[in-house]
């Protein structure tokens, strides 16, 4: 592969947590603001934690202030850690092919992996440490950096350059995710997108969103590496 920066989403792409995040967010919002099931009827896939909190505050007539965000984040993180220890509902585990792909990429000197996720940084760490995946990633762009996911690719590129990663690799950024929002954030930043149908969106939905490549899973390591290395 040529010098490349791979930017991985977490939920639905690397892992599924048995809805631990949804449970923790709902319980935290109820504890702090007295609204139960505050995120019902909200499409959470591909959104940032910061966006979701702002949306819920506005929906329930609560001031969208920095203090409210700070309090929510501080209370949410320990609750998420607790929820990650529960069996959860639905699928919980590492998505097919993920560890093999990360191991294969780790052996390529000019290929760099980072996170591009809607999670807070500490929430990303809690989830990935649970599955022993956190150490694959040296840096990333997170909900702490921007509420709008479309702003995260430039953040990730900037952090990559701070790490000494070449301009060529940063220019060849590839966003790997499972939602149309992952595709959109790649498109607006001039990055490629590899969409994987392991989350809540079908191949057809991801193709209609404009993904450069759509895969059922990341199981075929050699195929994925070929596609990631394509022009």
């Amino acid at each position: 592969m040529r010098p490349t920066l791979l930017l991985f989403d977490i939920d639905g792409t690397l892992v599924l947590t048995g809805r631990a995040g949804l449970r923790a967010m709902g319980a935290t919002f109820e504890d702090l603001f007295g609204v139960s099931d505050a995120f019902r009827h909200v499409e959470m896939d591909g959104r940032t934690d910061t966006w979701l909190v702002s949306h819920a505050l506005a929906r329930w007539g609560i001031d969208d202030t920095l203090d409210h965000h700070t309090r929510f984040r501080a209370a949410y993180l320990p609750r998420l850690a607790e929820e990650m220890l529960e069996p959860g509902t639905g699928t919980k585990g590492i998505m097919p092919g993920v560890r093999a792909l990360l191991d294969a990429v780790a052996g390529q000197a000019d290929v760099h992996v980072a996170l591009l996720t809607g999670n807070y940084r500490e929430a990303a760490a809690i989830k990935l440490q649970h599955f022993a995946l956190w150490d694959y990633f040296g840096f990333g762009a997170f909900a702490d950096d921007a509420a709008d996911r479309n702003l995260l690719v430039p953040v990730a590129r900037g952090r990559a350059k701070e790490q000494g990663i070449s301009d060529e690799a940063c220019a060849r950024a590839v966003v790997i995710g499972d939602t149309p929002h992952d595709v959109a954030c790649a498109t607006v930043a001039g990055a490629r997108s590899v969409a994987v149908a392991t989350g809540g969106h079908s191949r057809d939905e991801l193709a209609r969103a404009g993904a450069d490549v759509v895969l059922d899973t990341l199981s075929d390591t050699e195929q994925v590496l070929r596609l990631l290395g394509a022009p």
Side-chain angles (χ1 to χ4, degrees), residues 144-162:
D144 315 76
D145 298 307
D148 183 351
R149 195 183 194 100
N150 286 353
L151 301 178
L152 292 183
V153 173
V155 172
R157 281 176 165 147
R159 295 217 167 108
K161 291 179 181 180
E162 291 171 0

Side-chain angles (χ1 to χ4, degrees), residues 30-194:
E30 182 172 8
D31 285 350
L32 293 179
F33 306 113
V35 179
S36 63
D37 201 11
F39 299 93
R40 61 182 176 271
H41 309 308
V42 177
E43 181 191 346
M44 302 183 75
D45 292 350
R47 299 292 190 180
T48 69
D49 289 347
T50 309
W51 184 94
L52 288 167
V53 174
S54 287
H55 181 83
L57 290 169
R59 181 182 183 189
W60 300 108
I62 303 166
D63 290 339
D64 186 1
T65 65
L66 176 60
D67 178 64
H68 283 159
H69 279 270
T70 301
R71 290 172 58 213
F72 181 91
R73 185 175 173 281
Y76 165 70
L77 293 172
R79 191 179 291 269
L80 174 63
E82 293 172 0
E83 289 291 350
M84 287 297 299
L85 300 176
E86 300 297 326
T89 58
T91 302
K92 182 177 181 181
I94 302 173
M95 295 296 91
V98 163
R99 193 180 298 278
L101 176 60
L102 293 174
D103 283 337
V105 169
Q108 303 201 35
D110 289 331
V111 180
H112 310 276
V113 297
L115 295 167
L116 192 149
T117 174
N119 286 276
Y120 300 123
R121 184 186 184 282
E122 286 85 352
I126 289 167
K127 291 179 179 181
L128 293 185
Q129 285 170 350
H130 180 84
F131 297 106
L133 293 177
W134 177 248
D135 289 343
Y136 284 99
F137 303 95
F139 64 97
F142 306 92
D144 315 76
D145 298 307
D148 183 351
R149 195 183 194 100
N150 286 353
L151 301 178
L152 292 183
V153 173
V155 172
R157 281 176 165 147
R159 295 217 167 108
K161 291 179 181 180
E162 291 171 0
Q163 298 285 325
I165 294 171
S166 70
D167 289 343
E168 183 181 359
C170 292
R172 282 181 48 78
V174 181
V175 175
I176 304 168
D178 68 296
T179 76
H181 294 294
D182 298 298
V183 175
C185 79
T187 300
V188 299
R192 291 178 64 224
S193 55
V194 172

